[in-house]
Amino acid sequence: MARMIRPLANLYEQLRRLPGVGSKTAMRLAYHIIDMPEGEVRQLASALMGAKDSIHYCTRCFNLTDGDLCSVCADSARDRHTICVVEQPQDIAAMERSHGYNGLYHVLHGVLSPLDGIGPDKLRIRELFLRLQQEDISEIIIATNSDVEGEATATYLAQLLKPVGITVSRIAHGLPMGGDLEYADEVTLSKALENRRAM
Amino acid sequence: MARMIRPLANLYEQLRRLPGVGSKTAMRLAYHIIDMPEGEVRQLASALMGAKDSIHYCTRCFNLTDGDLCSVCADSARDRHTICVVEQPQDIAAMERSHGYNGLYHVLHGVLSPLDGIGPDKLRIRELFLRLQQEDISEIIIATNSDVEGEATATYLAQLLKPVGITVSRIAHGLPMGGDLEYADEVTLSKALENRRAM
């Protein structure tokens, strides 16, 4: 028994491909799954296929949805004049948890990353401009991450949007709430100073 | 969008039940799976069901197998006079990796744990004694873990096996190879002293 039996090895290899799952975790999960009641394994497998089969992108904003429009686009109570541009669907989930935004979204599904061969045509930028023609939008809030690629994408989008004549804003960067000045990193602190507001 | 869409929430809940998968990991895995090519998700789902459907216990030693006998029991080159008793199938995998043992195994599928309601009848002890009648066994090596339950199970088995007149041994406990005396914990060190060998 130098090698694992084939169905176990197969399960191990499939689990091993998931992000953050190393060889020990994959092994532990594989043995756990073999010990699970058959019904539970079946539920897990069908949850996998169910999610993959029924979830696709909202035809308007490219958020995840199991219908035609996502729950935000379909919600008539939302402000239809503002679009918040994010990198990924999970960013929308984070924004929604904050309860601080009541407008629409647009998911780019990535950021500009020339080294990885991701140019503007790989992102949902064309679709964003199509929305600007079809919808009555007065402000675009760019909420890409504050890493190098996110900042570059934000700058690129802002330049592209300038001729359109819409207010373009960027979410604020500064000290996190409850954060100690003493422990803030230099970049965040200088950003917080630079972005100071009159009060 | 206060709540997640249902197929995503369902996948999240199923992943959340796996050992060592917290809510953030489950969320990250769920989004990753939705982004995976459909073929890969299908492979993962079928690996899950394939492992569950085709893997069962060896009819002799209760190791995992996709056949009738496991690869150890079916291997005619193994020493058929020694049985190494382990808690779980994964313990066999660890023993086999060590290349230090060439006999047969017997998997208890648990340890005695009165607090969890696991008594001798829940373990494969009856099946072990049945093997002693049917096979020509001269030594039993008890290789349960060295925690409280493992030690209690080893003691219980040794007492039960004494009247049978077979050599019963316990795997050695002491300093791990390459281990520093300075950093060894007290219990291991006193065990290593107690089990010292003439040389």
Side-chain angles (χ1 to χ4, degrees):
Chain A
M1 211 191 84
R3 287 176 302 110
M4 281 185 277
I5 50 174
R6 226 185 43 73
L8 182 63
N10 185 25
L11 177 57
Y12 164 81
E13 276 155 29
Q14 291 296 330
L15 292 169
R16 187 77 183 68
R17 297 166 75 169
L18 295 174
V21 177
S23 62
K24 296 225 167 181
T25 306
M27 212 62 234
R28 192 160 44 96
L29 285 175
Y31 278 114
H32 175 84
I33 286 160
I34 289 167
D35 260 356
M36 274 163 61
E38 195 189 327
E40 283 184 25
V41 180
R42 203 167 290 282
Q43 276 182 341
L44 175 58
S46 77
L48 284 167
M49 289 314 300
K52 188 65 202 168
D53 286 344
S54 64
I55 297 179
H56 43 257
Y57 297 148
C58 169
T59 52
R60 191 177 293 167
C61 78
F62 300 94
N63 184 13
L64 298 180
T65 178
D66 54 351
D68 183 31
L69 289 178
C70 76
S71 53
V72 175
C73 288
D75 184 353
S76 60
R78 311 281 303 208
D79 166 18
R80 313 210 146 258
H81 304 295
T82 316
I83 290 179
C84 176
V85 178
V86 295
E87 293 180 16
Q88 301 292 352
Q90 44 268 56
D91 299 329
I92 295 187
M95 290 287 282
E96 290 296 297
R97 279 196 298 274
S98 82
H99 296 290
Y101 180 68
N102 193 39
L104 304 176
Y105 292 98
H106 190 84
V107 186
L108 294 177
H109 284 278
V111 271
L112 294 176
S113 178
L115 288 178
D116 301 320
I118 300 176
D121 51 313
K122 294 268 175 73
L123 308 179
R124 301 290 185 171
I125 295 179
R126 199 183 311 113
E127 290 85 348
L128 176 62
F129 279 84
L130 221 63
R131 287 182 69 181
L132 295 183
Q133 291 169 19
Q134 294 165 347
E135 301 172 43
D136 181 22
I137 305 298
S138 55
E139 182 176 359
I140 301 258
I141 302 171
I142 304 178
T144 52
N145 289 334
S146 59
D147 51 15
V148 178
E149 288 90 355
E151 288 293 340
T153 309
T155 310
Y156 176 84
L157 268 183
Q159 282 177 342
L160 222 57
L161 287 164
K162 199 175 275 179
V164 186
I166 293 178
T167 309
V168 180
S169 60
R170 178 94 172 99
I171 49 163
H173 295 99
L175 286 178
M177 292 305 289
D180 245 6
L181 215 71
E182 186 180 351
Y183 302 118
D185 66 288
E186 297 84 353
V187 185
T188 302
L189 202 50
S190 67
K191 200 80 181 173
L193 270 173
E194 187 187 321
N195 297 344
R196 66 189 179 280
R197 304 181 308 139
M199 60 177 289
Chain B
M1 211 191 83
R3 288 176 302 108
M4 279 186 276
I5 50 174
R6 226 186 43 73
L8 181 63
N10 185 26
L11 177 57
Y12 165 79
E13 276 155 27
Q14 291 297 330
L15 291 169
R16 187 75 183 71
R17 298 166 75 169
L18 295 173
V21 177
S23 62
K24 296 225 167 183
T25 306
M27 210 64 235
R28 191 160 46 94
L29 286 176
Y31 277 114
H32 176 84
I33 286 160
I34 289 167
D35 260 357
M36 273 163 62
E38 195 190 326
E40 283 182 25
V41 180
R42 201 167 292 281
Q43 277 182 340
L44 176 57
S46 78
L48 284 167
M49 288 314 300
K52 188 64 204 170
D53 286 344
S54 64
I55 296 178
H56 44 256
Y57 296 149
C58 169
T59 50
R60 191 176 293 165
C61 78
F62 300 94
N63 185 13
L64 298 179
T65 178
D66 54 352
D68 183 31
L69 288 178
C70 75
S71 53
V72 175
C73 287
D75 184 352
S76 60
R78 312 280 305 206
D79 166 18
R80 313 210 147 260
H81 304 294
T82 317
I83 290 180
C84 177
V85 177
V86 295
E87 294 179 15
Q88 299 293 351
Q90 43 267 57
D91 299 330
I92 295 187
M95 291 287 282
E96 289 297 296
R97 280 196 298 274
S98 82
H99 296 289
Y101 180 67
N102 195 39
L104 305 177
Y105 292 99
H106 190 85
V107 186
L108 294 177
H109 284 278
V111 271
L112 295 177
S113 178
L115 287 177
D116 301 321
I118 300 174
D121 51 314
K122 294 268 175 75
L123 307 179
R124 302 289 186 172
I125 295 179
R126 198 181 313 112
E127 289 85 349
L128 176 62
F129 279 85
L130 220 62
R131 287 183 68 181
L132 295 183
Q133 291 169 19
Q134 294 165 347
E135 301 172 43
D136 181 21
I137 306 297
S138 55
E139 181 175 0
I140 301 257
I141 303 171
I142 304 178
T144 52
N145 290 334
S146 58
D147 51 14
V148 178
E149 288 90 355
E151 288 293 341
T153 309
T155 310
Y156 176 83
L157 268 181
Q159 282 176 343
L160 222 56
L161 286 164
K162 199 175 275 179
V164 186
I166 293 178
T167 308
V168 179
S169 60
R170 178 95 172 97
I171 49 164
H173 295 99
L175 285 178
M177 291 306 287
D180 246 7
L181 214 72
E182 187 180 350
Y183 302 117
D185 66 289
E186 297 83 352
V187 185
T188 302
L189 202 51
S190 68
K191 200 82 182 171
L193 270 172
E194 186 187 321
N195 297 345
R196 65 189 180 279
R197 303 183 307 139
M199 61 177 285

